Amino acid sequence: VLLLILAFSADASQLYLIRANMWTVAGETARRMTTGQLTSGTAQAYAASQLLYPNLPYTYSFVQGSATASPPVDDVAEISVPVANASVFGVLAVWGNFTNSVLDAKVTMRSEQ
């Protein structure tokens, strides 16, 4: 029972670390898209290079905004990964497989261009 509790704690900590990193990378990518440093085409390569665990099967979605459009379109950066793939010991992988849960980080910023 103690080992199960420790494995669950390690899995939960790992998921929180991955999700926090995804939020940071999505926010930085959206900011760089907003200021014109990145385009939706180059954003994925940048985001992938900044993630802590690049071997996980992340899904990326980037929308390039436009301040001149009517109405203005915001820049959006979204990164997600299945919980089952992000689990260290597999304790939460069972739950992730059963529920098809994903860790998701989506950041929207107003275009400054």
Side-chain angles (χ1 to χ4, degrees):
V1 173
L2 181 59
L3 289 176
L4 184 62
I5 292 171
L6 288 173
F8 177 82
S9 298
D11 271 0
S13 297
Q14 180 75 11
L15 293 179
Y16 281 115
L17 175 66
I18 290 171
R19 189 165 192 189
N21 179 245
M22 287 171 35
W23 275 108
T24 302
V25 171
E28 181 63 21
T29 304
R31 188 190 68 76
R32 287 177 181 255
M33 287 172 51
T34 298
T35 59
Q37 295 175 4
L38 294 174
T39 65
S40 58
T42 60
Q44 181 172 339
Y46 173 78
S49 72
Q50 299 299 309
L51 290 166
L52 286 178
Y53 301 99
N55 59 335
L56 294 177
Y58 294 102
T59 303
Y60 303 93
S61 175
F62 301 103
V63 175
Q64 187 75 40
S66 173
T68 59
S70 182
V73 178
D74 297 333
D75 292 290
V76 179
E78 183 174 10
I79 305 170
S80 61
V81 67
V83 169
N85 295 102
S87 178
V88 177
F89 293 107
V91 175
L92 293 175
V94 174
W95 173 73
N97 279 329
F98 182 71
T99 61
N100 290 326
S101 298
V102 296
L103 296 176
D104 187 40
K106 182 177 182 179
V107 176
T108 304
M109 289 195 174
R110 179 70 59 180
S111 183
E112 296 177 9
Q113 299 174 9

